Amino acid sequence: MRSAVLDRVARIRDDDLPAYVHDLADLRRHVHAIRAVLPERVELLYAAKANSDPLILRTLAGYVDGFEVASGGELSHVRGLVPDAPIAFGGPGKTQAELARALDCAVERLHIESEHELRLVTTLLGERTVDALLRVNLPVDVGRAALAMGGHPSPFGMDPAQLDRCLEVIDCDPRVRLRGLHLHLASGLRATAQLALIDEVLAWAEGWARRRGTDLAEVNVGGGMGVDYDHPARRFDWPAFGAGLRRLLSRHPRLTLRIEPGRSVTAYCGWYVTQVLDVKFSRGQAFAVLRGGTHHLRTPAAKQHDQPFEVIPDDAWPRHWERPEARDEPVTLVGQLCTPKDVLARRVRVERLRVGDRVAFAMAGAYAWNISHHAFLMHPHPTFHHVDDAEVPVTGTHARQRS
Ligand SMILES: *Cc1c(COP(=O)(O)O)cnc(C)c1O
């Protein structure tokens, strides 16, 4: 943990734990570094569903080309916070009211998931136009991805045959401007696997456009850049990815590529900080019971990993009895919920962990608080803190347009 973040954590009172601490300076540096290795003709959108914390969105606005939203709620939230940022609206099930709102907001892109959705949009357009991508589920092998959204039967996007039926609708309706295709096939891929998939997808997309005699200006290949919770230091290789995209795009000279990562952008900037309430031994195994739990940080339960953590020792011990502790042994870190599923990390060796010590869970900046079942057991919500101690020049296209 950086010292500026540690300083902030030290100033949080016990009763204000658990706490989410977001390191905005680190986020700024990270997204700036991503941006710096992406070649021209690659546009970077941030998938807001990964973490829609207002300060995170405002911070990112200076570095990204826009935001991808997946509901009417996210659309209103992002529009309200960063009014002039371009927004792409996707998601497998959109209500008529959400589609109408998207058109009222003049979203920059609408990602259309089916022929039915396209037809519904045409009934809502009136005098307006819309720039659309058709989301397709290609028969490609997504290999060992953590989450596969495509390449097999799925509710996401449409089969290639459906694309052609959509083209017929669009050919008769000039209000729908087809910009290209959208594909978000898998999550959790490393850079080389991601590049191989994009290569395959682009070849298919251009072949399809050629056969159909349609102009393909843009392909959005989604997000899913891998985040390895078991090896926090093994980050997605953005420089290799950027260099690979440059090579790929040289073979597609007129194409703009869009990516819309979420997890890989914000995962590393978030910390869930809490405190050990009790340490006990059950049949010889050590358990540390923490304030809060997976109803605040569902990520390890959802993805079935051990959330990486750091121990922040607290030497104060006001009681007259001996302080319960685990020493140089594997400990299972659990929360306050009355369920055996409330496990944040299982049998991880610690040097020393005592009642009163603080535990800071790393990589809690994506799919963390916002995917958690907060109401379960009615514990107080965490407090939220932001550390922003460094300036990094803004570099996004959107930022350039604004300044
Ligand atoms: C969830 C999602 C993303 C972001 O995925 P990450 O794994 O967070 O990078 C991007 N695009 C679409 C369509 C999604 O559903």
Side-chain angles (χ1 to χ4, degrees):
M1 181 180 269
R2 292 197 308 123
S3 63
V5 182
L6 202 55
D7 288 349
R8 173 58 62 90
V9 168
R11 283 189 278 122
I12 301 173
R13 296 177 312 137
D14 287 354
D15 283 340
D16 289 330
L17 296 175
Y20 266 99
V21 183
H22 286 122
D23 187 349
L24 298 179
D26 187 57
L27 176 65
R28 227 182 271 283
R29 269 192 290 268
H30 180 51
V31 67
H32 180 259
I34 292 174
R35 181 92 234 176
V37 297
L38 294 178
E40 268 180 44
R41 291 194 284 128
V42 175
E43 293 177 352
L44 174 66
L45 308 184
Y46 169 65
K49 77 170 184 284
N51 188 338
S52 52
D53 176 276
L55 288 174
I56 286 186
L57 294 178
R58 286 219 179 94
T59 300
L60 288 173
Y63 302 87
V64 298
D65 297 297
F67 294 89
E68 189 259 353
V69 302
S71 74
E74 285 186 354
L75 175 59
S76 301
H77 181 69
V78 173
R79 195 37 124 222
L81 283 164
V82 275
D84 50 356
I87 292 179
F89 183 32
K94 307 182 192 74
T95 65
Q96 180 168 325
E98 286 177 314
L99 288 169
R101 170 116 180 87
L103 297 175
D104 290 345
C105 285
V107 291
E108 190 223 16
R109 289 289 179 281
L110 189 61
H111 299 163
I112 292 176
E113 294 259 348
S114 71
E115 183 191 342
H116 163 71
E117 191 172 272
L118 171 62
R119 289 188 184 276
L120 192 54
V121 169
T122 61
T123 67
L124 301 170
L125 272 171
E127 306 280 291
R128 297 173 292 199
T129 60
V130 67
D131 289 294
L133 300 182
L134 297 174
R135 181 168 179 186
V136 58
N137 176 3
L138 286 188
V140 293
D141 179 10
V142 296
R144 292 178 38 237
L147 284 176
M149 263 63 65
H152 58 84
S154 98
F156 304 108
M158 55 187 108
D159 286 352
Q162 272 248 319
L163 273 186
D164 296 339
R165 298 190 37 98
C166 286
L167 265 194
E168 286 168 25
V169 175
I170 291 170
D171 279 344
C172 307
D173 194 332
R175 296 172 306 172
V176 181
R177 292 192 296 245
L178 181 65
R179 308 271 313 182
L181 300 178
H182 179 283
L183 308 101
H184 170 72
L185 296 175
S187 261
L189 294 177
R190 302 177 61 171
T192 40
Q194 190 57 265
L195 285 167
L197 194 58
I198 295 173
D199 193 14
E200 199 175 335
V201 154
L202 290 187
W204 188 90
E206 295 227 307
W208 173 79
R210 209 175 318 112
R211 285 194 304 280
R212 297 294 170 261
T214 182
D215 200 33
L216 186 76
E218 188 176 299
V219 174
N220 183 326
V221 291
M225 292 68 188
V227 169
D228 188 342
Y229 291 88
D230 295 327
H231 304 96
R234 256 184 232 167
R235 303 268 185 116
F236 185 81
D237 193 345
W238 286 103
F241 186 63
L245 290 183
R246 190 183 305 275
R247 283 194 300 277
L248 284 184
L249 280 176
S250 68
R251 299 205 304 274
H252 304 273
R254 290 202 316 279
L255 193 72
T256 295
L257 194 73
R258 294 188 142 197
I259 58 173
E260 45 184 30
R263 189 187 301 274
S264 56
V265 176
T266 53
Y268 300 96
C269 79
W271 296 86
Y272 176 65
V273 183
T274 181
Q275 190 178 37
V276 181
L277 295 176
D278 204 349
V279 175
K280 47 193 179 183
F281 291 83
S282 170
R283 322 266 155 127
Q285 282 190 25
F287 289 82
V289 185
L290 310 173
R291 284 181 191 253
T294 53
H295 54 325
H296 294 165
L297 176 63
R298 206 170 86 89
T299 326
K303 291 190 69 79
Q304 289 293 301
H305 60 235
D306 295 324
Q307 195 72 22
F309 63 88
E310 292 178 18
V311 175
I312 306 170
D314 185 341
D315 292 329
W317 180 248
R319 314 288 178 197
H320 68 270
W321 58 87
E322 206 179 315
R323 188 169 175 177
E325 67 167 35
R327 203 181 252 274
D328 201 21
E329 63 193 312
V331 181
T332 296
L333 281 70
V334 304
Q336 292 175 279
L337 300 183
C338 314
T339 158
K341 293 190 173 164
D342 190 21
V343 177
L344 294 149
R346 205 178 292 277
R347 296 187 58 73
V348 177
R349 181 166 287 278
V350 296
E351 249 173 65
R352 187 161 72 154
L353 190 60
R354 306 166 295 181
V355 171
D357 284 344
R358 292 183 173 194
V359 177
F361 288 96
M363 299 174 77
Y367 305 101
W369 167 248
N370 66 340
I371 64 155
S372 305
H373 41 299
H374 313 147
F376 192 36
L377 260 83
M378 301 177 76
H379 290 121
H381 285 183
T383 56
F384 286 80
H385 310 262
H386 297 84
V387 177
D388 197 359
D389 59 331
E391 280 298 317
V392 179
V394 294
T395 44
T397 329
H398 169 56
R400 279 203 297 275
Q401 281 164 0
R402 276 190 312 171
S403 56

